[in-house]
Amino acid sequence: MEEYFSAVRKMEQTVMFPSLLQGVSLGDLANTLDSSSNEKDLYESYTLLKSIKTMVEDGLVPLNQTFPVATQMKEQEIKEEEDLESLFYYHVSSLYRILTRLTRRAKAVTSKYDEIMGQMNQNEKRLSF
């Protein structure tokens, strides 16, 4: 989890102008990101990563404000409650996989932003000569 927080913090510190990420396709980073991503551009990934970080830092959603998927999963969990060790392992391993993917995405957004800024700096140097 610390690696995820570190990657998002670095992304937040690096990306000074998030609007530069608008319109930058995730397809450019296909090898870094999963192909099933629903975000249209890196700006949406940036905002998603920041909101997830905030949610994790602030704690869990109150029980009366559950997500629809969570309600469906709750029914399944009640059935599996007898095997708490397996249920715990399942959720921890799922969380680990999700955090790994989110960490890769944060690093990709940071990398692409650095690339965009490098291109802008090169263009400015050319114009000043």
Side-chain angles (χ1 to χ4, degrees):
M1 191 173 290
E2 186 56 38
E3 187 177 351
Y4 166 71
F5 283 123
S6 175
V8 174
R9 268 192 301 272
K10 181 176 182 186
M11 178 189 74
E12 290 173 323
Q13 292 169 352
T14 302
V15 178
M16 293 300 182
F17 306 104
S19 61
L20 291 175
L21 298 171
Q22 290 179 327
V24 178
S25 171
L26 290 172
D28 297 344
L29 303 168
N31 61 341
T32 311
L33 304 174
D34 56 351
S35 59
S36 64
S37 178
N38 292 330
E39 289 81 35
K40 294 178 182 147
D41 60 19
L42 289 179
Y43 179 79
E44 289 186 28
S45 288
Y46 173 82
T47 56
L48 173 73
L49 290 161
K50 284 186 62 150
S51 67
I52 290 172
K53 177 181 172 262
T54 302
M55 186 186 336
V56 172
E57 286 177 333
D58 291 346
L60 297 174
V61 177
L63 291 176
N64 60 354
Q65 295 179 357
T66 58
F67 297 103
V69 175
T71 305
Q72 294 169 354
M73 291 177 65
K74 189 172 184 177
E75 293 173 7
Q76 180 183 2
E77 289 175 11
I78 291 171
K79 293 176 187 174
E80 298 173 350
E81 193 168 313
E82 292 81 35
D83 190 10
L84 292 176
E85 184 178 351
S86 295
L87 188 61
F88 177 78
Y89 177 78
Y90 169 77
H91 287 291
V92 169
S93 62
S94 295
L95 177 62
Y96 177 78
R97 283 192 303 273
I98 290 167
L99 287 173
T100 299
R101 292 170 76 180
L102 291 172
T103 300
R104 275 188 267 153
R105 185 171 294 180
K107 289 178 179 180
V109 169
T110 304
S111 173
K112 188 63 177 179
Y113 182 82
D114 283 339
E115 183 180 315
I116 291 169
M117 291 306 292
Q119 290 173 356
M120 290 178 71
N121 288 336
Q122 287 178 353
N123 289 338
E124 288 177 9
K125 287 179 183 177
R126 286 183 201 146
L127 293 175
S128 66
F129 286 112

